[in-house]
Amino acid sequence: MSGKPDDIVAYNREKWDAQVAKGDRWTVPFSPDVIARARQGEFSILLTPSKPVPMNWFPPLEGCRVLCLASGGGQQGPVLAAAGAEVTVFDNSPRQLAQDRLVAKREDLEIETVEGDMGDLSRFEPESFDFVFHPCSNGFVDDVKPVWRGAFRVLRPGGDLVSGFCNPVLYLFDDERRAKGELVVRHRIHYSDLTSLTDEEFARYSNEDDPASFGHTLDDQIGGQIAAGFAITGFYKDDWGAGSEEALSKYIKTFIATKATKPA
């Protein structure tokens, strides 16, 4: 694995900081108008690329202790804070967290920002949150099971975890040929940029500041939540949205969202 990083957390921290500088869609802070509407209880936020989270997936937000898990970027956290929640944003990227602080200062919102690895929530006390919002970001850790166990530990009994993640079928195909509309099966699942790509391919993505990605099995994504102690209480599928030319989306939804409840 010459030329590939040993420390994925540090590597992806650097790459997501670079994505903020490039203006990636998930790093652009929401506008004052979006925050103003959220103060009135009118908001729409995403776990996956295009389908809004159903409003009945949210608890009453006034005073709700919310952990936005791997969810920096000045988007979901500020909206939930404006809607009345007590928000902590936890993210691996300092520049992503800076976007949340920017919106908090601009809009006079109380938001706590904490830097760290989504797979290690040990700094938080057990049962310290009522709701965990985890958008499509666990594809940037090699092992997703500690994410589920950590979320279960920090949630109060009866609390909910809402999550977005990739359908692992997305990782079966050769990425460059898929971008050309050709669906050619190449990879096994579990997928890893570290082992599934050649050194040359990895270097090309690294030079473009792409974070290292991992495609987890449904056993680990959905079964992992159940093994952690959750009951799956909500489910929907999503894709890149209208107008997307992504080849695989013509045949199957490539993103999944779940709501999981910690038993009371």
Side-chain angles (χ1 to χ4, degrees):
M1 293 200 322
S2 174
K4 296 176 181 176
D6 294 322
D7 186 341
I8 284 298
V9 173
Y11 179 85
N12 278 350
R13 180 184 305 120
E14 174 188 337
K15 296 306 180 184
W16 273 109
D17 280 354
Q19 291 300 319
V20 174
K22 289 185 171 185
D24 177 90
R25 66 174 285 197
W26 303 113
T27 74
V28 178
F30 280 162
S31 69
D33 182 58
V34 170
I35 303 303
R37 291 199 302 271
R39 291 187 194 275
Q40 303 302 314
E42 301 175 7
F43 64 87
S44 175
I45 53 178
L46 301 171
L47 288 166
T48 52
S50 66
K51 185 174 181 178
V53 180
M55 291 304 293
N56 63 7
W57 280 25
F58 294 99
L61 289 173
E62 189 65 39
C64 182
R65 299 168 299 168
V66 174
L67 175 64
C68 288
L69 177 56
S71 182
Q75 299 183 0
Q76 299 98 351
V79 161
L80 294 170
E86 299 175 9
V87 173
T88 299
V89 180
F90 186 72
D91 199 276
N92 186 35
S93 163
R95 295 194 69 172
Q96 283 277 72
L97 293 171
Q99 302 294 66
D100 291 280
R101 290 192 294 271
L102 182 154
V103 179
K105 182 177 180 180
R106 187 190 74 200
E107 304 293 338
D108 194 25
L109 297 169
E110 292 289 335
I111 296 176
E112 181 182 13
T113 59
V114 182
E115 181 184 332
D117 171 17
M118 71 180 87
D120 180 7
L121 300 183
S122 59
R123 70 190 66 201
F124 300 116
E125 293 296 320
E127 302 181 8
S128 53
F129 295 99
D130 303 308
F131 185 67
V132 176
F133 190 92
H134 179 45
C136 200
S137 53
N138 70 32
F140 302 111
V141 293
D142 186 39
D143 184 1
V144 71
K145 295 186 291 296
V147 179
W148 304 134
R149 292 194 296 264
F152 187 86
R153 188 185 69 85
V154 303
L155 263 175
R156 64 164 174 81
D160 293 318
L161 159 71
V162 297
S163 310
F165 46 89
C166 295
N167 186 329
V169 72
L170 184 66
Y171 294 92
L172 288 173
F173 302 93
D174 183 280
D175 194 53
E176 292 189 6
R177 297 183 70 173
R178 184 166 57 87
K180 300 175 183 177
E182 304 172 11
L183 297 177
V184 179
V185 173
R186 175 183 172 187
H187 304 295
R188 295 178 62 88
I189 308 299
H190 173 273
Y191 168 89
S192 167
D193 275 357
L194 301 182
T195 57
S196 303
L197 298 180
T198 67
D199 287 351
E200 181 182 1
E201 288 170 326
F202 188 90
R204 184 160 60 250
Y205 288 121
S206 182
N207 290 338
E208 295 172 356
D209 289 321
D210 288 346
S213 295
F214 305 88
H216 306 292
T217 66
L218 290 180
D219 282 346
D220 285 348
Q221 291 284 26
I222 297 176
Q225 294 182 64
I226 296 169
F230 287 106
I232 304 299
T233 53
F235 180 95
Y236 65 84
K237 296 178 289 184
D238 195 13
D239 55 27
W240 288 105
S244 170
E245 297 182 0
E246 206 284 323
L248 190 56
S249 294
K250 299 175 184 177
Y251 304 99
I252 191 170
K253 301 288 188 180
T254 50
F255 297 90
I256 293 168
T258 55
K259 178 184 178 184
T261 301
K262 181 173 180 176

